[in-house]
Structures are given as structure tokens and as C-alpha cells.
Amino acid sequence: MKRNIFYLMSSKVIWVLSGFIIHVCLGRLLGPRLYGMFGVVTAFTSIGYLILGGGVRRAVSKYTAANPDLVEPIKTAGLKVQIPFSMAIGAALALLSKPISSSLGDPDLSGLLKLAALIIPFTGILFVYVGSMEGSRRFGRTAAVSVTYAVSRAVFVLLFVLLGLKVRGAVIGLILATSLAALMSRRLY
């Protein structure tokens, strides 16, 4: 029990440090305008993150813990709900990108929001597998996915920005990190 708590707490600390490093570095590398654009993009993807992290993830975790013999059917049912739902949220963000960017007075945001919409389906898939691992009490694996996600997020975001891709590179880094974490969670599951 203590080891599981340590794994999860450590992964959360690494997650927070990763976010801190990203924001401090991007603030310096991008400057106020571009860093502000990154902030708007992450705000909208965070809304998707919050929506997807609640319902299906918790349900998969709860029902898996209560029914250990039904892990696979519960995970499959979670994916059947989460994939179309997360795709709909991503599509909504892409479709609303122009009105959002117009209302914020920055037409350059539209393309970034469309690109960022790709993060949301990967997040949905990731959450189902993480919920299943949590319900199966595989906390070490859950922590490994979280640490991989946090570290790859910082590395990819900063790498693409340093390569000169600016905010678009940061968003591409987020997409790659999320897809890597989803793939890893599927493999570790």
C-alpha cells in the first residue's frame, strides 16, 4: 500500500514539475504574445481533459475494482463510450476554432485550436486504460504512464519550440506526448 502511494505521489510531483518547466521555458522562449496563444490553446484542451477525466475514467476504475473478473469487458465498454465522445469534443473544438479565435480577436488561434483538437481523442483513450489500471490496482503502471506522459510532454514541447516551430511546435509536442502515453497505457494494460 505504501509503495503504491509513493508511486502515485511521485508521479504527481513529476507531472507538476513538468508543467512548471514547460511554462517557465515557453514564457521565455516564445515571448508574451505567443506564450499567451499557447495558454489559450491549453485552456481549451484542459476543458476536454476535465470532461473526459471524470465520467468514463471513474466508472471504468470503479466497476473494474468491484468486478475484477470483468476487466476486459469493462475496458471495452469504456472505450466504446469514450472514443466517440472524445472525438465529438475534438470535432467541436475544431469546428468552433474560427468563432473562438474571432471572439478573442486573434485569427492565428484558429489553426492552433484545430491542431490541438487532435489531443482530445488520445486523452479519451488514455483515460480508459488508466481507469482500468487503477481499478485493477496496477498503481505502479499508472504511475509509469503518468511519468512518461509528463517527461515526454516537456521534452517534445520544448524540442519542437527550440527547433523553431514556435506555438505550433508546442502543440505538436503535446499531441505526440498524449499519443505516446495512450499507446504506452494500452501496452502496459
Side-chain angles (χ1 to χ4, degrees):
M1 176 82 163
K2 289 180 185 178
R3 185 172 22 145
N4 291 332
I5 292 171
F6 175 76
Y7 288 151
L8 293 175
M9 285 178 58
S10 298
S11 70
K12 294 300 177 192
V13 168
I14 292 168
W15 179 262
V16 170
L17 287 174
S18 164
F20 177 77
I21 290 167
I22 288 170
H23 286 283
V24 168
C25 292
L26 288 186
R28 293 186 178 277
L29 292 169
L30 295 176
R33 180 178 181 276
L34 295 179
Y35 178 68
M37 292 172 73
F38 179 75
V40 170
V41 169
T42 57
F44 280 99
T45 57
S46 293
I47 291 168
Y49 191 90
L50 290 172
I51 292 168
L52 296 171
V56 175
R57 177 183 178 171
R58 287 189 184 136
V60 167
S61 179
K62 177 185 182 224
Y63 288 112
T64 299
N67 304 291
D69 296 338
L70 300 174
V71 173
E72 193 63 32
I74 293 168
K75 180 210 41 121
T76 301
L79 287 170
K80 285 181 181 178
V81 171
Q82 190 84 313
I83 290 173
F85 185 57
S86 62
M87 290 178 77
I89 293 171
L93 178 57
L95 291 171
L96 294 171
S97 64
K98 258 197 165 108
I100 291 169
S101 63
S102 292
S103 71
L104 295 173
D106 191 347
D108 293 337
L109 278 172
S110 180
L112 292 171
L113 290 171
K114 285 179 185 174
L115 184 61
L118 295 172
I119 296 169
I120 295 173
F122 289 117
T123 301
I125 293 166
L126 171 65
F127 282 159
V128 171
Y129 282 104
V130 167
S132 188
M133 284 188 278
E134 289 170 343
S136 300
R137 293 174 179 83
R138 298 176 184 170
F139 299 113
R141 292 179 184 188
T142 303
V145 169
S146 181
V147 167
T148 300
Y149 189 10
V151 171
S152 66
R153 185 175 67 140
V155 169
F156 288 146
V157 166
L158 295 175
L159 174 67
F160 287 117
V161 170
L162 289 170
L163 289 173
L165 296 175
K166 300 183 181 177
V167 183
R168 182 171 298 280
V171 174
I172 291 169
L174 293 175
I175 294 167
L176 288 175
T178 308
S179 60
L180 176 67
L183 179 64
M184 181 181 178
S185 66
R186 184 175 185 268
R187 297 205 100 193
L188 285 179
Y189 166 78

